[in-house]
């Protein structure tokens, strides 16, 4: 007598369910997190310091979509992971605490745990190995606690203000500094959180890591070195933005510095960071090629 497929399946080797499981899970996640994201769009994601949140969310969804065929192929024949349910309950607990107590780092961060649990339960551990970067990238959309932001932002603003002042003073501009206030000519400028804060650093870090993921270098040295250089690149881009705003105010007045050109300086920030990342990456490429040529030459000798 022919036995059914389920009867022939060994115990403990549960197979991933079909598309109906993904549809149910997707609707459930939408019902849970739609109110959370609506609240974010109506509040902090409308501010200049947190404006990167929707962009990171959109890029993360795009990365998940791009990795989907590779995930599906890699997880064929894989059994579901026993770590799925513990991960699910941790994510659910974080969501309940965050939503009920208005703790955004828990409420939004729980989405990463729940997505990881879904992949483990529906496609196994191979799915996590394929989708690890989109899940990691979502960390950059999580609103950070205010005390942490304030503690880190002030030293950063002081450092950016100091370097910007020294660079413009070296270029013979009439500039002076008192704390995070720059005075150039008759104008005074306060270096705000949006110009040199922790959120800006996080945004530029996300930009750098996205660049690393897209270019996909084979050299471990090149990847690690570029990842380390992202921090000083972000700092340098912040300094250039402050200098640009200062010079705009000096030449065109306070209205220009605080108006449209202020937003333009924000574009300068990201363009500068991207160009610096590409420039450092190009130098590292030459370095890797030079080291490879030296090793081949030494091997021939």
């Amino acid at each position: 007598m022919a036995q059914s497929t389920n009867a022939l399946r060994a115990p403990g080797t549960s197979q991933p369910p079909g598309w109906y499981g993904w549809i149910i899970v997707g609707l459930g996640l939408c019902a849970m997190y739609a109110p959370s994201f609506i609240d974010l769009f109506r509040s902090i994601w409308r501010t200049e310091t947190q404006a990167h949140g929707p962009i990171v969310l959109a890029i993360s969804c795009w990365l998940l979509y791009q990795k989907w065929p590779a995930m599906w192929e890699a997880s064929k024949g894989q059994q579901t992971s026993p770590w799925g349910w513990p991960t699910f309950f941790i994510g659910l607990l974080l969501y309940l605490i965050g939503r009920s107590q208005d703790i955004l780092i828990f409420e939004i961060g729980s989405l990463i745990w729940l997505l990881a649990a879904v992949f483990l339960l529906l496609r196994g551990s191979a799915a996590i190995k394929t989708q690890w970067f989109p899940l990691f990238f979502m960390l950059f959309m999580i609103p950070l606690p205010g005390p942490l932001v304030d503690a880190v932002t002030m030293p950063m603003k002081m450092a950016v203000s100091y370097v910007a002042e020294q660079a413009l003073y070296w270029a013979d501009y009439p500039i002076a500094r008192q704390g995070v206030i720059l005075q150039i000519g008759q104008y005074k400028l306060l270096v705000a959180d949006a110009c040199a804060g922790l959120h800006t650093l996080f945004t530029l870090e996300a930009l750098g890591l996205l660049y690393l993921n897209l270019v996909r270098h084979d050299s471990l040295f090149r990847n690690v070195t570029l990842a380390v250089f992202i921090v000083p690149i972000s700092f340098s881009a912040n300094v250039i933005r402050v200098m640009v705003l200062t010079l705009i105010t000096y030449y065109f007045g306070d209205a220009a510095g605080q108006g449209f050109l202020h937003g333009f300086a924000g574009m300068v920030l990201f363009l500068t960071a991207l160009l610096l990342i590409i420039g450092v990456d190009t130098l590292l490429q030459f370095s890797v090629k030079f080291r490879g040529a030296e090793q081949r030459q030494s091997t021939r000798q």
Side-chain angles (χ1 to χ4, degrees):
M1 181 182 295
Q3 293 179 321
S4 66
T5 306
N6 289 336
L8 293 173
R9 186 178 300 160
T13 58
S14 57
Q15 298 298 315
W19 282 101
Y20 66 89
W22 293 98
I23 294 174
I24 295 173
V25 168
L27 292 175
L29 290 176
C30 288
M32 287 177 63
Y33 287 98
S36 302
F37 286 116
I38 289 174
D39 291 342
L40 288 175
F41 276 108
R42 290 176 175 175
S43 56
I44 61 175
W45 277 3
R46 298 180 63 180
T47 63
E48 188 175 4
T49 56
Q50 296 277 358
H52 65 279
I55 300 174
V56 173
L57 175 61
I59 293 176
S60 299
C61 293
W62 177 78
L63 290 172
L64 287 170
Y65 173 77
Q66 290 290 109
K67 297 282 187 180
W68 200 269
M71 179 198 74
W72 206 262
E73 185 66 27
S75 59
K76 277 185 177 179
Q78 295 285 326
Q79 65 182 34
T80 58
S81 172
W83 291 102
W85 286 113
T87 305
F88 174 80
F89 287 118
I90 291 174
L92 186 60
L93 180 63
L94 289 173
Y95 175 80
L96 293 174
I97 296 174
R99 186 65 180 171
S100 61
Q101 304 301 316
D102 198 23
I103 305 176
L104 290 177
I105 193 172
F106 285 177
E107 181 181 355
I108 306 302
S110 65
L111 176 61
I112 302 174
W113 287 86
L114 291 179
L115 284 175
V118 168
F119 291 140
L120 290 171
L121 291 172
L122 297 185
R123 298 302 295 182
S125 58
I128 292 293
K129 293 178 182 178
T130 307
Q131 295 282 16
W132 74 269
F133 183 77
L135 295 176
F136 172 76
F137 196 73
M138 284 186 179
L139 290 172
F140 293 96
M141 75 175 181
I142 300 175
L144 298 174
L148 173 64
V149 173
D150 294 338
V152 177
T153 294
M154 182 53 71
M156 289 178 58
K157 291 197 299 182
M158 291 287 291
V160 168
S161 303
Y162 174 79
V163 175
E165 177 212 11
Q166 293 299 315
L168 291 175
Y169 181 78
W170 178 80
D172 290 331
Y173 282 97
I175 188 170
R177 180 182 64 89
Q178 184 176 4
V180 294
I181 299 176
L182 296 176
Q183 180 168 355
I184 183 166
Q186 59 181 328
Y187 302 105
K188 286 187 177 181
L189 298 93
L190 173 66
V191 178
D193 295 353
C195 295
L198 183 61
H199 294 300
T200 305
L201 177 62
F202 253 55
T203 306
L204 295 179
E205 285 286 338
L207 176 66
L209 293 175
L210 178 63
Y211 174 84
L212 277 176
N213 182 258
L214 293 177
V215 295
R216 296 179 178 278
H217 296 314
D218 295 328
S219 171
L220 179 62
F221 166 78
R222 188 173 173 184
N223 286 327
V224 173
T225 306
L226 187 58
V228 171
F229 268 98
I230 289 175
V231 175
I233 286 174
S234 302
F235 180 83
S236 301
N238 276 317
V239 171
I240 292 173
R241 181 187 187 185
V242 171
M243 291 173 60
V244 168
L245 281 174
T246 303
L247 292 176
I248 288 174
T249 303
Y250 179 68
Y251 284 110
F252 302 104
D254 188 64
Q258 299 302 318
F260 168 77
L261 293 179
H262 187 277
F264 175 75
M267 296 174 60
V268 170
L269 169 72
F270 291 103
L271 181 60
T272 301
L274 183 59
L275 291 176
L276 288 174
I277 290 172
I278 294 174
V280 171
D281 188 33
T282 302
L283 293 176
L284 290 174
Q285 181 181 6
F286 288 137
S287 175
V288 169
K289 289 182 178 180
F290 180 74
R291 289 175 59 188
E294 281 190 335
Q295 289 178 356
R296 287 192 295 268
Q297 186 176 0
S298 62
T299 302
R300 291 173 183 173
Q301 292 176 352

